[in-house]
Amino acid sequence: MKCCKKILFVIGLSITLPLGGQQHESYQTDFTAAEFEARRAKIFDEIGNAAIALIQGAPGSEGFEVFRQSNEFYYLTGLETPHSYLLLDGRSRKATAYLPHRDEALERQTGEFLDAEDGPLVAKLTGVDEVHGVEALARHLARAQLRPPPPVLYVPFSPPEGAGGSRDELLRHRAGIASDPWDGRPSRSGHMLQRLHSQFPSFELRDLSPLLDRLRLVKSPAEISLIRRASRIAGMGLMESIRSTKPGVFEYQLDAAARYIFLVNGARREGYPSITAGGANAWMGHYFHNDSSLKDGDLVLMDYAPDYHYYTSDIARMWPVNGKYTKAQRALYGFILAYREALLDRIRPGVTADQILDGAKIAMRVVWESTEFYKDVYRNAAEKALSFRGHLSHPVGMTVHDVGNYKRAPLVPGIVFSIDPMLWVPEEKLYIRMEDVVAVTKDGVENFTDFLPARLDDIEHLIQEEGIVQLRPSEE
């Protein structure tokens, strides 16, 4: 009977968030055409009335992978059609979408996509002014050069973000290809830049990426809603992993428990590969093997979130494999929990990241002095953490390491980022951290993962519950 109750509980989790029907929808419903028009209007304002901008969508998927549009193209159109382009003409403030033509044989196998033949519908859904086949793009670019001087052409220089692809990781990947003497091929976006330069040399090419980054840094209410939902699903997944933790369980089994919760609650994929790291594996910041057995006495770290409607989160917790923190673990994790609260108490509009960190450092000095750490190396590690400037981490949005830089100016409502207080004990290869995702509001801050247990007693209590990993058929 206990097993059945658990199954019903998991099913209950899945219906706390609405699921789509069986019919495939060819266009998103999270954003209105008016929101896309407003985003493009900001691009027009940025590039001025003597420039145009060209944004390339993602290519079709290789093999049987499910297609995912690039973030840059989706942000401005919401279209999920492969091999699409968007031309923004600052001179007329007109937006034109270029889509491939209908492939009926492919649609019979995979379902419908919006294409060039759906021009009136695409214009209605996205708010663009015109829709053409992809073959018209070259003619329209050539036509833009006829009246001298030709307009400046803005194109994103940064690699386009796709499934699980933050820009820092994409740039690292490109560096590996460039340094391989047997490879060195240009990226798809780099190839487009080369083609534009060779085919239309009169255009002065400029980088659109910094302009897009600034726009994406401040999230709209609709974006906030999606990140909030992604965070809730992520928290539910981590809670299921905590319940499923026992000595001898493998890291990948906790990964599977969280991913199950992601999928049954509407996420199409993971926002990034999970960091599910027991013991010393947590010392590696982006550990991804997830193939070790969990050992009694160790802590396990999980950092994981879904890709929900093109938006993600970034949360992490650490908990004892055997269900009980030792006194030393309690001291270290309790210190990090106090740091988390000190940061949250200081986040509000009008303050800078430096002011938040400086204020938290002062408050945490008192906590450090009053904490019994049990080892000098632990006390030293906690003291060093007081001077670390990375406890306020990266923006979060369409990618886990989202674009933009919120640390250069006072915070404004709509900025979303992770807070990630942490410390390192190199003598024992021990890494302690706790991560949440927050949004700056007009009144202060919203912690999207505030429902996820953080206090040590609450985590210990959750571990005692039965987890989905333990739901296995008996061996007879």
Side-chain angles (χ1 to χ4, degrees):
M1 188 64 184
K2 186 177 180 182
C3 175
C4 294
K5 288 181 179 178
K6 178 60 182 178
I7 293 174
L8 289 173
F9 175 74
V10 172
I11 294 173
L13 282 179
S14 70
I15 61 174
T16 60
L17 300 172
L19 302 179
Q22 291 183 340
Q23 179 64 40
H24 167 68
E25 299 292 340
S26 59
Y27 189 69
Q28 61 80 35
T29 57
D30 297 309
F31 303 104
T32 64
E35 178 151 350
F36 290 118
E37 289 173 344
R39 293 174 183 177
R40 296 192 295 263
K42 292 177 181 178
I43 294 291
F44 287 133
D45 293 341
E46 289 277 359
I47 66 176
N49 60 6
I52 60 178
L54 178 63
I55 299 91
Q56 180 184 47
S61 302
E62 296 185 53
F64 293 109
E65 295 180 3
V66 176
F67 174 75
R68 187 189 186 281
Q69 186 59 271
S70 67
N71 288 343
E72 298 81 1
F73 193 84
Y74 189 86
Y75 181 77
L76 295 173
T77 68
L79 290 168
E80 295 186 88
T81 303
H83 299 285
S84 298
Y85 295 80
L86 176 69
L87 185 63
L88 302 177
D89 193 331
R91 301 166 302 176
S92 62
R93 297 180 72 90
K94 185 172 74 173
T96 304
Y98 301 86
L99 278 64
H101 292 282
R102 180 159 298 152
D103 185 338
E104 294 182 357
L106 178 62
E107 288 187 350
R108 283 195 296 269
Q109 299 179 47
T110 63
E112 294 182 356
F113 288 97
L114 290 173
D115 48 47
E117 282 66 40
D118 295 312
L121 178 59
V122 171
K124 177 182 178 181
L125 292 170
T126 66
V128 299
D129 299 283
E130 294 183 9
V131 180
H132 297 276
V134 174
E135 73 283 353
L137 176 58
R139 296 198 305 270
H140 292 176
L141 288 173
R143 190 169 63 194
Q145 301 176 100
L146 295 179
R147 293 183 181 177
V152 171
L153 175 55
Y154 281 87
V155 183
F157 287 3
S158 296
E161 304 158 354
S166 294
R167 183 176 297 166
D168 52 353
E169 296 298 324
L170 293 170
L171 290 172
R172 188 176 294 113
H173 172 71
R174 290 304 315 167
I177 291 176
S179 63
D180 182 349
W182 295 96
D183 195 337
R185 66 191 185 279
S187 65
R188 184 169 183 264
S189 56
H191 177 69
M192 188 182 79
L193 289 171
Q194 292 177 359
R195 288 290 302 274
L196 288 170
H197 183 73
S198 62
Q199 298 295 321
F200 305 101
S202 62
F203 283 131
E204 176 191 345
L205 299 182
R206 293 186 187 174
D207 189 5
L208 184 65
S209 295
L211 281 63
L212 273 171
D213 293 354
R214 288 198 297 271
L215 297 185
R216 284 176 52 187
L217 178 63
V218 180
K219 273 63 177 180
S220 71
E223 290 181 288
I224 295 287
S225 178
L226 290 175
I227 301 171
R228 182 185 295 116
R229 183 63 59 86
S231 300
R232 182 159 186 81
I233 298 172
M236 290 163 56
L238 260 71
M239 290 170 67
E240 192 56 43
S241 296
I242 293 172
R243 294 186 186 97
S244 294
T245 300
K246 300 286 187 297
V249 167
F250 282 85
E251 293 163 341
Y252 63 78
Q253 291 177 300
L254 300 189
D255 175 295
R259 190 183 303 149
Y260 168 76
I261 298 300
F262 296 173
L263 296 179
V264 298
N265 284 291
R268 296 174 64 185
R269 52 180 64 83
E270 57 188 6
Y272 52 95
S274 80
I275 302 169
T276 306
N281 290 338
W283 181 255
M284 294 171 275
H286 284 178
Y287 172 79
F288 64 88
H289 299 286
N290 300 344
D291 57 1
S292 295
S293 175
L294 302 179
K295 295 179 175 57
D296 195 335
D298 282 347
L299 295 174
V300 57
L301 163 69
M302 175 169 273
D303 182 337
Y304 202 19
D307 179 335
Y308 181 79
H309 295 208
Y310 284 79
Y311 286 79
T312 189
S313 186
D314 191 14
I315 62 176
R317 293 290 186 271
M318 297 186 77
W319 58 91
V321 172
N322 63 13
K324 289 291 182 181
Y325 292 97
T326 66
K327 289 183 178 180
Q329 290 169 349
R330 275 186 165 269
L332 290 171
Y333 207 55
F335 181 80
I336 291 301
L337 174 60
Y339 220 137
R340 168 193 188 247
E341 299 305 314
L343 293 169
L344 284 170
D345 287 345
R346 289 161 175 78
I347 299 173
R348 60 185 182 276
V351 301
T352 65
D354 283 340
Q355 290 173 324
I356 295 168
L357 288 167
D358 291 342
K361 178 180 179 179
I362 294 171
M364 288 305 298
R365 189 75 192 183
V366 177
V367 177
W368 177 80
E369 291 172 349
S370 62
T371 299
E372 183 179 356
F373 286 102
Y374 297 93
K375 291 184 182 182
D376 288 340
V377 292
Y378 294 169
R379 175 168 292 277
N380 293 338
E383 185 175 28
K384 288 180 181 178
L386 298 179
S387 299
F388 181 61
R389 306 300 287 183
H391 300 306
L392 294 185
S393 196
H394 48 80
V396 178
M398 300 188 82
T399 68
V400 61
H401 295 169
D402 208 23
V403 297
N405 189 334
Y406 68 90
K407 298 179 181 180
R408 294 173 177 168
L411 296 175
V412 298
I415 288 180
V416 178
F417 58 94
S418 74
I419 61 170
D420 195 6
M422 61 188 83
L423 62 81
W424 295 263
V425 185
E427 295 86 351
E428 298 182 6
K429 286 194 173 181
L430 180 60
Y431 178 39
I432 305 291
R433 61 185 288 234
M434 178 185 297
E435 188 171 25
D436 294 88
V437 170
V438 303
V440 181
T441 68
K442 62 182 179 64
D443 300 316
V445 63
E446 177 184 356
N447 180 4
F448 292 140
T449 44
D450 191 47
F451 71 95
L452 177 61
R455 302 190 180 281
L456 286 77
D457 291 343
D458 295 337
I459 293 175
E460 287 182 344
H461 179 75
L462 186 61
I463 297 173
Q464 303 310 312
E465 299 181 11
E466 185 180 33
I468 193 171
V469 169
Q470 283 70 48
L471 293 179
R472 303 178 186 175
S474 59
E475 297 181 4
E476 298 180 356

